[in-house]
Amino acid sequence: MGTTTGPGDGTELRGRLVTLRPVRPEDAVALRELRASAKVARWWDPPEDPDWPCEEGGSSTRLTVLEDGALVGLAQWWAEEAPQYRHAGIDLFLDPRVHGRGLGTDTVRTLARHLFEHVGHHRVVIDPAAANAAAVRCYEKVGFRRVGVMRRYERNPGTDSWRDGMLMDLLPEDLTAAPDD
Ligand SMILES: CC(C)(COP(=O)(O)OP(=O)(O)OC[C@H]1O[C@@H](n2cnc3c(N)ncnc32)[C@H](O)[C@@H]1OP(=O)(O)O)[C@@H](O)C(=O)NCCC(=O)NCCS
């Protein structure tokens, strides 16, 4: 990753395959369409706010993921700022047309590295559904470790039923290198 500052100050994060930059209003329609696509909506429930992803006062920092300048997804992070428990959490989705090519791994690695190196976090968490094998695999490739299964952690989107979540965490020393590093 070649950039030393990051979103929040309007600059970009560059990975090996992707670039992350702050979400712009003109990204909203495409991001909402991607979020509603079947392979994403299975894991991301519909947004509650009609202005998502550009609503006022959100607690997450949202970044548009680009490949060769084309919008391919969204990554976001939030922070627990209580000094005793300070850490960050991340989440993402990518266009199903680009799944399985390493872009998710590159996105997560790029964002995690930014959170460690430039935002000063010492621990990053992520909490995919336990059944989301592609996501768990992707995060393990970055170096995340499985902390444990959170039983009946979240609703299956659009239903009253619950599903298990997988809490995973990453420390700076766990972060795996990108192939070209
Ligand atoms: C999860 C997600 C971000 C991963 O991005 P991606 O670009 O597809 O990820 P990568 O290509 O870097 O890695 C995916 C890995 O999972 C593997 N994989 C894919 N489907 C799998 C499955 N059903 N079981 C096990 N592994 C699987 C791939 O083979 C790859 O591993 P490999 O490189 O060892 O072969 C993307 O699939 C996505 O947006 N999914 C829909 C939304 C979502 O689930 N978001 C995460 C919510 S926590």
Side-chain angles (χ1 to χ4, degrees):
M1 187 181 74
T3 303
T4 55
T5 54
D9 58 11
T11 58
E12 296 180 339
L13 299 178
R14 292 199 191 90
R16 194 174 62 89
L17 304 173
V18 297
T19 299
L20 281 57
R21 57 129 174 92
V23 168
R24 298 174 183 160
E26 58 265 34
D27 301 335
V29 170
L31 290 172
R32 292 177 72 86
E33 282 178 5
L34 287 185
R35 183 166 172 171
S37 66
K39 288 185 175 167
V40 175
R42 184 176 171 201
W43 307 114
W44 274 65
D45 55 355
E48 289 174 8
D49 193 311
D51 293 330
W52 184 92
C54 299
E55 71 270 28
E56 292 288 324
S59 56
S60 295
T61 299
R62 299 216 177 93
L63 309 170
T64 297
V65 182
L66 307 166
E67 182 191 32
D68 297 330
L71 183 153
V72 292
L74 174 132
Q76 63 183 17
W77 67 273
W78 52 266
E80 165 60 65
E81 292 292 0
Q84 185 107 3
Y85 296 100
R86 186 172 186 269
H87 69 279
I90 66 180
D91 206 350
L92 77 158
F93 64 78
L94 297 180
D95 185 335
R97 289 171 290 197
V98 306
H99 287 181
R101 292 204 281 112
L103 272 59
T105 301
D106 193 47
T107 299
V108 173
R109 179 183 286 122
T110 301
L111 182 53
R113 193 180 286 182
H114 168 68
L115 292 169
F116 290 140
E117 295 182 357
H118 306 127
V119 189
H121 282 285
H122 76 290
R123 177 173 180 261
V124 175
V125 300
I126 198 160
D127 58 359
N132 192 348
V136 172
R137 169 73 187 135
C138 171
Y139 308 149
E140 284 185 329
K141 286 198 294 179
V142 175
F144 277 84
R145 298 192 188 179
R146 302 180 190 209
V147 176
V149 172
M150 303 181 288
R151 296 181 300 159
R152 295 182 199 162
Y153 173 64
E154 62 184 15
R155 288 195 190 278
N156 282 301
T159 76
D160 286 336
S161 65
W162 298 97
R163 65 185 176 198
D164 294 345
M166 173 72 73
L167 178 62
M168 306 178 74
D169 68 10
L170 179 82
L171 302 181
E173 58 268 35
D174 301 329
L175 193 58
T176 59
D180 295 337
D181 283 355

Coordinates of all heavy atoms in Angstrom, one line a residue, residues 39-41 43-44 90-96 98-106 108 126-129 132-139 141, ligand 1:
K39 N -26.3 -12.3 -3.9 CA -25.1 -12.9 -3.3 C -24.5 -12.0 -2.2 O -23.7 -12.4 -1.3 CB -24.0 -13.2 -4.3 CG -24.4 -14.4 -5.1 CD -23.2 -14.8 -6.1 CE -23.6 -16.1 -6.8 NZ -22.8 -16.4 -7.9
V40 N -25.0 -10.7 -2.2 CA -24.6 -9.8 -1.1 C -25.7 -9.8 0.0 O -25.5 -9.9 1.2 CB -24.3 -8.4 -1.6 CG1 -24.0 -7.4 -0.4 CG2 -23.1 -8.5 -2.5
A41 N -27.0 -9.7 -0.5 CA -28.1 -9.5 0.4 C -28.3 -10.7 1.3 O -28.9 -10.6 2.4 CB -29.4 -9.3 -0.4
W43 N -26.0 -11.9 3.0 CA -25.1 -11.6 4.2 C -25.3 -10.2 4.7 O -24.9 -9.9 5.9 CB -23.6 -11.9 3.8 CG -23.4 -13.2 3.2 CD1 -23.1 -13.5 2.0 CD2 -23.6 -14.5 3.9 NE1 -23.0 -14.9 1.8 CE2 -23.4 -15.5 2.9 CE3 -24.0 -14.9 5.2 CZ2 -23.4 -16.9 3.2 CZ3 -24.1 -16.3 5.5 CH2 -23.8 -17.2 4.5
W44 N -25.8 -9.3 3.9 CA -26.0 -7.9 4.3 C -27.5 -7.6 4.3 O -28.0 -7.6 3.2 CB -25.2 -6.9 3.4 CG -23.8 -6.7 3.7 CD1 -22.8 -7.6 3.7 CD2 -23.2 -5.4 4.1 NE1 -21.6 -6.9 4.0 CE2 -21.8 -5.6 4.3 CE3 -23.7 -4.1 4.3 CZ2 -21.0 -4.6 4.6 CZ3 -22.9 -3.1 4.6 CH2 -21.5 -3.3 4.8
I90 N -14.4 -3.9 11.1 CA -14.5 -3.6 9.6 C -15.6 -4.5 9.0 O -15.9 -5.6 9.6 CB -13.2 -3.7 8.9 CG1 -12.7 -5.2 8.9 CG2 -12.2 -2.8 9.5 CD1 -11.3 -5.3 8.1
D91 N -16.0 -4.2 7.9 CA -17.0 -5.0 7.1 C -16.9 -4.6 5.7 O -16.4 -3.5 5.3 CB -18.4 -4.7 7.7 CG -19.4 -5.9 7.4 OD1 -19.0 -6.8 6.7 OD2 -20.5 -5.9 8.0
L92 N -17.4 -5.4 4.8 CA -17.3 -5.1 3.3 C -18.2 -6.0 2.5 O -18.7 -7.0 3.0 CB -15.9 -5.3 2.8 CG -15.4 -6.7 2.5 CD1 -14.2 -6.6 1.6 CD2 -15.0 -7.4 3.8
F93 N -18.5 -5.5 1.3 CA -19.1 -6.4 0.3 C -18.5 -6.0 -1.0 O -18.2 -4.8 -1.3 CB -20.6 -6.4 0.3 CG -21.3 -5.1 -0.1 CD1 -21.3 -4.6 -1.4 CD2 -21.8 -4.3 0.9 CE1 -21.9 -3.4 -1.7 CE2 -22.4 -3.0 0.6 CZ -22.4 -2.6 -0.7
L94 N -18.5 -6.9 -1.9 CA -18.0 -6.7 -3.3 C -19.0 -7.2 -4.3 O -19.8 -8.1 -4.0 CB -16.6 -7.4 -3.5 CG -15.4 -7.0 -2.6 CD1 -14.2 -7.8 -3.0 CD2 -15.2 -5.5 -2.8
D95 N -18.9 -6.6 -5.5 CA -19.8 -7.0 -6.6 C -19.5 -8.5 -6.8 O -18.4 -9.0 -7.0 CB -19.3 -6.2 -7.8 CG -20.1 -6.4 -9.0 OD1 -20.8 -7.5 -9.2 OD2 -20.1 -5.5 -9.9
P96 N -20.6 -9.3 -6.9 CA -20.4 -10.7 -7.1 C -19.6 -11.1 -8.4 O -19.0 -12.1 -8.4 CB -21.9 -11.2 -7.2 CG -22.7 -10.3 -6.4 CD -22.0 -8.9 -6.6
V98 N -16.9 -9.9 -9.2 CA -15.5 -9.9 -9.0 C -15.1 -10.9 -7.8 O -13.9 -10.9 -7.4 CB -14.9 -8.5 -8.7 CG1 -15.3 -7.6 -9.8 CG2 -15.4 -7.9 -7.3
H99 N -16.0 -11.6 -7.3 CA -15.7 -12.5 -6.2 C -14.7 -13.5 -6.6 O -14.6 -14.0 -7.8 CB -16.9 -13.2 -5.7 CG -17.9 -12.4 -4.9 ND1 -19.1 -12.8 -4.3 CD2 -17.8 -11.0 -4.6 CE1 -19.7 -11.8 -3.7 NE2 -19.0 -10.7 -3.9
G100 N -13.8 -14.0 -5.6 CA -13.0 -15.1 -5.9 C -11.7 -14.8 -6.6 O -10.9 -15.6 -7.0
R101 N -11.4 -13.5 -6.8 CA -10.2 -13.1 -7.5 C -9.1 -12.4 -6.6 O -8.2 -11.8 -7.1 CB -10.5 -12.1 -8.7 CG -11.3 -12.8 -9.8 CD -11.1 -12.0 -11.1 NE -11.9 -10.8 -11.2 CZ -11.4 -9.5 -11.1 NH1 -10.1 -9.3 -11.0 NH2 -12.2 -8.5 -11.2
G102 N -9.4 -12.5 -5.3 CA -8.4 -11.9 -4.4 C -8.7 -10.4 -4.0 O -7.9 -9.9 -3.2
L103 N -9.7 -9.8 -4.5 CA -10.0 -8.4 -4.2 C -10.4 -8.2 -2.8 O -10.1 -7.2 -2.1 CB -11.0 -7.8 -5.2 CG -10.5 -7.2 -6.5 CD1 -9.8 -8.3 -7.3 CD2 -11.6 -6.6 -7.3
G104 N -11.2 -9.2 -2.3 CA -11.6 -9.1 -0.9 C -10.5 -9.1 0.1 O -10.3 -8.3 1.0
T105 N -9.6 -10.0 -0.2 CA -8.4 -10.2 0.6 C -7.5 -8.9 0.6 O -7.1 -8.4 1.6 CB -7.5 -11.4 0.1 OG1 -8.3 -12.5 0.2 CG2 -6.3 -11.6 1.0
D106 N -7.4 -8.3 -0.6 CA -6.6 -7.1 -0.8 C -7.3 -5.9 -0.1 O -6.6 -5.1 0.6 CB -6.4 -6.8 -2.3 CG -5.3 -5.8 -2.5 OD1 -4.3 -5.9 -1.9 OD2 -5.6 -4.9 -3.3
V108 N -9.4 -6.0 2.5 CA -9.3 -6.2 4.0 C -7.9 -5.9 4.5 O -7.7 -5.2 5.5 CB -9.8 -7.6 4.4 CG1 -9.6 -7.8 5.9 CG2 -11.3 -7.7 4.1
I126 N -13.8 -8.5 13.1 CA -14.7 -8.7 12.0 C -15.7 -9.8 12.4 O -15.2 -10.8 13.1 CB -14.0 -8.9 10.7 CG1 -15.0 -8.7 9.5 CG2 -13.4 -10.3 10.6 CD1 -14.2 -8.4 8.2
D127 N -16.9 -9.8 12.0 CA -17.9 -10.8 12.5 C -18.8 -11.3 11.5 O -20.0 -11.1 11.5 CB -18.7 -10.2 13.7 CG -19.4 -8.9 13.3 OD1 -19.3 -8.5 12.1 OD2 -20.2 -8.4 14.2
P128 N -18.2 -12.1 10.5 CA -19.1 -12.7 9.5 C -20.1 -13.7 10.1 O -19.8 -14.2 11.2 CB -18.1 -13.4 8.6 CG -16.9 -13.7 9.5 CD -16.8 -12.5 10.4
A129 N -21.1 -14.0 9.3 CA -22.0 -15.1 9.7 C -21.1 -16.3 9.7 O -20.2 -16.5 8.8 CB -23.1 -15.3 8.7
N132 N -20.7 -18.1 6.5 CA -20.2 -17.4 5.3 C -18.7 -17.9 5.1 O -17.8 -17.2 5.4 CB -20.3 -15.9 5.6 CG -20.0 -15.1 4.3 OD1 -19.5 -15.6 3.3 ND2 -20.3 -13.8 4.4
A133 N -18.6 -19.0 4.5 CA -17.3 -19.7 4.4 C -16.3 -18.8 3.5 O -15.1 -18.8 3.8 CB -17.4 -21.1 3.8
A134 N -16.8 -18.2 2.5 CA -15.9 -17.4 1.6 C -15.3 -16.2 2.4 O -14.2 -15.9 2.3 CB -16.6 -16.9 0.4
A135 N -16.2 -15.6 3.3 CA -15.7 -14.5 4.1 C -14.7 -14.9 5.1 O -13.7 -14.3 5.3 CB -16.9 -13.8 4.7
V136 N -15.0 -16.0 5.8 CA -14.1 -16.5 6.8 C -12.8 -16.9 6.2 O -11.7 -16.5 6.7 CB -14.7 -17.7 7.6 CG1 -13.7 -18.4 8.5 CG2 -16.0 -17.3 8.4
R137 N -12.8 -17.5 5.1 CA -11.6 -17.9 4.4 C -10.8 -16.6 4.0 O -9.6 -16.5 4.1 CB -11.9 -18.7 3.1 CG -10.8 -18.9 2.2 CD -9.7 -19.9 2.7 NE -8.6 -20.0 1.8 CZ -7.3 -19.9 2.2 NH1 -7.0 -19.9 3.5 NH2 -6.3 -20.0 1.3
C138 N -11.5 -15.7 3.4 CA -10.9 -14.4 3.0 C -10.2 -13.7 4.2 O -9.0 -13.3 4.1 CB -11.9 -13.5 2.4 SG -11.4 -11.8 2.1
Y139 N -10.8 -13.7 5.3 CA -10.2 -13.0 6.5 C -9.1 -13.8 7.1 O -8.1 -13.2 7.5 CB -11.3 -12.7 7.5 CG -12.5 -12.0 7.0 CD1 -13.8 -12.2 7.5 CD2 -12.4 -11.2 5.9 CE1 -14.9 -11.6 7.0 CE2 -13.6 -10.5 5.3 CZ -14.8 -10.8 5.9 OH -15.9 -10.2 5.4
K141 N -7.0 -15.5 5.3 CA -5.9 -15.2 4.4 C -5.2 -14.0 4.8 O -4.0 -13.8 4.6 CB -6.4 -15.2 3.0 CG -6.7 -16.5 2.3 CD -6.8 -16.4 0.8 CE -7.9 -15.6 0.3 NZ -7.9 -15.5 -1.2
Ligands
LIG1 C1 -16.6 -12.0 1.4 C2 -16.1 -11.3 0.2 C3 -15.8 -9.8 0.6 C4 -14.7 -11.9 -0.2 O1 -14.2 -11.2 -1.3 P1 -13.5 -12.1 -2.5 O2 -12.9 -11.1 -3.4 O3 -14.5 -13.0 -3.0 O4 -12.4 -12.8 -1.6 P2 -11.0 -13.5 -2.1 O5 -11.1 -13.9 -3.5 O6 -9.9 -12.6 -1.7 O7 -11.0 -14.8 -1.2 C5 -12.1 -15.7 -1.0 C6 -11.6 -17.0 -0.6 O8 -12.7 -17.8 -0.2 C7 -12.7 -19.0 -1.0 N1 -14.1 -19.4 -1.1 C8 -15.1 -19.0 -1.9 N2 -16.2 -19.6 -1.7 C9 -16.0 -20.5 -0.7 C10 -16.8 -21.5 0.0 N3 -18.0 -21.6 -0.3 N4 -16.2 -22.2 1.0 C11 -14.9 -22.0 1.3 N5 -14.1 -21.1 0.7 C12 -14.6 -20.4 -0.3 C13 -12.1 -18.7 -2.3 O9 -11.6 -19.8 -2.9 C14 -10.9 -17.8 -1.7 O10 -9.9 -18.6 -1.1 P3 -8.6 -19.0 -1.9 O11 -7.9 -17.8 -2.4 O12 -7.8 -19.8 -0.9 O13 -9.0 -19.9 -3.1 C15 -17.0 -11.4 -1.0 O14 -17.1 -12.7 -1.4 C16 -18.4 -10.7 -0.8 O15 -18.5 -9.5 -1.0 N6 -19.4 -11.5 -0.4 C17 -20.8 -11.1 -0.2 C18 -20.9 -10.1 0.9 C19 -20.2 -10.7 2.2 O16 -20.3 -11.9 2.5 N7 -19.6 -9.8 2.9 C20 -18.9 -10.2 4.1 C21 -19.7 -10.0 5.3 S1 -18.8 -10.3 6.8

